[in-house]
Amino acid sequence: MPLNIIIGAQWGDEGKGRITDLLAAKADVVARYSGGDNAGHTVTIGADVFKLHLIPSGIIHDTVACIIGNGVVINPKVLLHEMDALAARGVDVSPACLQISRRAHLITPAHIALDKAKEMQRGAEAIGTTLRGIGPAYTDKISRTGIRAGLFADPEELAEAIQAHVEAHNEVLTKIYNMEPLDANVVAADFAAYAQRLAPHLVDSGVVIDEALRNGRSVLAEGAQGTLLDIDHGTYPFVTSSAPTAGGALTGLGVGPKVVGEIMGVAKAFTTRVGSGPFPTELDGDMAMRLRGTGANPWDEYGTTTGRPRRVGWLDMVILRHAHRVNSLTELALTKLDILSGIPEIKVCVGYEIDGVRIDYFPSDLRTLARCQPIYDTLPGWQEDIMDVRDFAQLPANAQAYVNYVSEQLGVPIPIISVGPGRAQTILKG
Ligand code: IMP
């Protein structure tokens, strides 16, 4: 069986959690491959809302084994908190159901302190990170000074590594950022306790996934963040510090490209972004409020991890084409189509104009991107509430036309459309 990959095709928050939950019903293994607890994946089953930050969304299915791959950075405190919360709701998070790559790097309180210090120092130029220590943890990984989860199996070496790590970062925190030092002994004691609980979950994710595939089991790679937050292919420097794209799925799990089957992009029927940086189709005023919602509902456009209101705008095909090229998408899931109901005319950006010249690709530098004026197609909207529709043919004609338009523009089929937050509020288009 192949490895199928789920990728965010925009700036994150596309609804990957619910699509993973849907596809996990047919998978044996679900594996996260990038990011950390900066992600917030929401799965809604009836009245139950599960908000997951680190644990793959497949965990809600009791027949699915979940893996946190080597490409993920793990804050063990957050992970244990999430495991305990799930266990309290009857979800099995034992080592048989939840495994952690020995090669995954750990996020420590020093990383979180540094993330905050750096953002404060950037002032008006702040990236708007989630302040979860993600950037500093990946910095240590790339600098070859990080601490890997595998040390949970070696308490003595872990204690030494944590001591040295905190002391080294205290130098920077106190001397460069004028912050209070962290107490290395306290951090080491906390990590010793985390290690005791997490050591039984350690595996080599590449070996486990390879074995599963060889035994005919199907594996789903669950992306976090999105293509435009990719360290290389996103809106640098307003990006995260990992590779949420298809290439990242391979390096973040430890398998090669030949095992890949479908690569499903997930995109909202409009666009959102959190944090700073240019956003060509951004809206303000009434239409922005209309798309964002008030925050009264869990599905309104407020960050799952930070609670920040998201910036919103029309759908941007330039972005989706970029995501298609970077990831080789074989299909697309279109989420939140219901939010567009009741809007008389819906705009879709089909290209950008700079100084009277049209461009159809996503620029690599932000100065150029900031000058891009969107070129729109305008499509007729629909008035009907579509949240109870389960059959594509039952959607209003203009809603069908909108989905078909996106599919044709992108050259990728759209087999999944979501029309509400619930697991059942999904249209599967044959
Ligand atoms: P970091 O990943 O916390 O370093 O944040 C870097 C940028 O990525 C910021 O603009 C964040 O808002 C954004 N970001 C990180 N994770 C997510 C996510 O899961 N959804 C949307 N934006 C995210």
Side-chain angles (χ1 to χ4, degrees):
M1 292 282 259
L3 172 88
N4 297 317
I5 305 175
I6 294 181
I7 301 273
Q10 297 160 317
W11 269 294
D13 308 316
E14 299 93 348
K16 294 175 295 294
R18 65 164 298 150
I19 302 298
T20 304
D21 171 61
L22 187 78
L23 299 184
K26 288 193 196 143
D28 299 300
V29 178
V30 177
R32 267 277 305 269
Y33 59 82
S34 69
D37 63 303
N38 48 351
H41 293 171
T42 307
V43 179
T44 307
I45 305 163
D48 283 334
V49 179
F50 293 87
K51 293 199 176 204
L52 302 166
H53 298 279
L54 264 171
I55 297 180
S57 305
I59 199 77
I60 318 294
H61 295 263
D62 47 17
T63 54
V64 171
C66 287
I67 300 177
I68 299 179
N70 57 276
V72 177
V73 283
I74 301 173
N75 179 332
K77 184 179 179 183
V78 173
L79 176 58
L80 285 164
H81 187 267
E82 202 163 304
M83 287 165 65
D84 291 343
L86 284 170
R89 295 171 75 178
V91 177
D92 188 352
V93 289
S94 65
C97 293
L98 178 64
Q99 301 173 343
I100 303 167
S101 169
R102 290 191 182 90
R103 291 184 165 86
H105 280 246
L106 300 179
I107 296 180
T108 71
H111 292 138
I112 295 169
L114 261 181
D115 199 358
K116 290 179 182 159
K118 282 169 184 276
E119 279 289 85
M120 264 167 57
Q121 197 192 48
R122 288 183 191 117
E125 309 289 307
I127 292 169
T129 76
T130 58
L131 304 178
R132 297 297 195 269
I134 304 293
Y138 279 115
T139 302
D140 274 354
K141 171 176 174 172
I142 301 302
S143 304
R144 296 160 292 184
T145 53
I147 301 175
R148 305 209 291 184
L151 281 194
F152 282 153
D154 188 338
E156 259 177 50
E157 218 187 306
L158 176 68
E160 276 173 30
I162 291 283
Q163 287 278 353
H165 165 88
V166 173
E167 280 161 22
H169 283 84
N170 274 345
E171 290 281 299
V172 179
L173 284 169
T174 55
K175 293 185 181 154
I176 310 265
Y177 295 106
N178 267 330
M179 303 217 357
E180 290 296 310
L182 296 164
D183 186 330
N185 291 327
V186 171
V187 180
D190 287 344
F191 272 66
Y194 305 148
Q196 270 200 341
R197 288 192 58 195
L198 291 173
H201 294 260
L202 295 175
V203 295
D204 184 324
S205 60
V207 172
V208 173
I209 290 171
D210 182 56
E211 213 168 82
L213 293 171
R214 281 174 199 276
N215 289 331
R217 302 173 79 209
S218 87
V219 181
L220 193 59
E222 177 181 9
Q225 288 81 46
T227 302
L228 288 188
L229 292 172
D230 184 276
I231 186 76
D232 285 299
H233 303 291
T235 42
Y236 191 90
F238 299 105
V239 291
T240 192
S241 299
S242 66
T245 40
L250 304 177
T251 55
L253 292 177
V255 290
K258 285 197 172 169
V259 301
V260 177
E262 303 296 334
I263 304 173
M264 172 167 279
V266 184
K268 269 181 203 165
F270 49 101
T271 310
T272 65
R273 112 167 266 192
V274 276
S276 317
F279 179 173
T281 65
E282 184 167 16
L283 291 163
D284 52 21
D286 289 349
M287 188 53 75
M289 283 171 63
R290 166 76 182 64
L291 293 175
R292 183 181 299 118
T294 58
N297 303 307
W299 56 86
D300 286 346
E301 297 296 346
Y302 292 78
T304 313
T305 301
T306 60
R308 288 180 287 180
R310 294 182 187 136
R311 299 159 67 193
V312 294
W314 296 117
L315 188 68
D316 188 337
M317 295 308 301
V318 184
I319 289 175
L320 294 193
R321 285 198 296 267
H322 177 74
H324 184 18
R325 182 179 55 77
V326 169
N327 298 299
S328 297
L329 302 179
T330 61
E331 46 194 7
L332 189 78
L334 196 66
T335 59
K336 296 194 103 170
L337 186 67
D338 53 297
I339 300 297
L340 298 182
S341 297
I343 298 176
E345 287 187 327
I346 302 168
K347 292 189 175 180
V348 178
C349 171
V350 290
Y352 298 148
E353 194 178 289
I354 308 176
D355 301 332
V357 177
R358 179 177 174 140
I359 61 167
D360 291 313
Y361 59 87
F362 196 75
S364 58
D365 71 289
L366 293 193
R367 261 193 233 154
T368 308
L369 184 63
R371 290 169 54 224
C372 285
Q373 294 299 322
I375 300 168
Y376 287 115
D377 268 359
T378 302
L379 280 76
W382 58 93
Q383 294 308 309
E384 298 88 334
D385 179 355
I386 59 172
M387 294 179 84
D388 291 327
V389 177
R390 298 291 175 269
D391 178 0
F392 187 74
Q394 301 302 316
L395 279 175
N398 287 346
Q400 290 187 34
Y402 186 79
V403 175
N404 289 337
Y405 171 92
V406 176
S407 174
E408 280 158 23
Q409 282 271 329
L410 196 60
V412 167
I414 300 184
I416 300 177
I417 300 144
S418 84
V419 290
R423 190 187 247 178
Q425 289 174 299
T426 307
I427 296 173
L428 301 178
K429 187 165 170 267

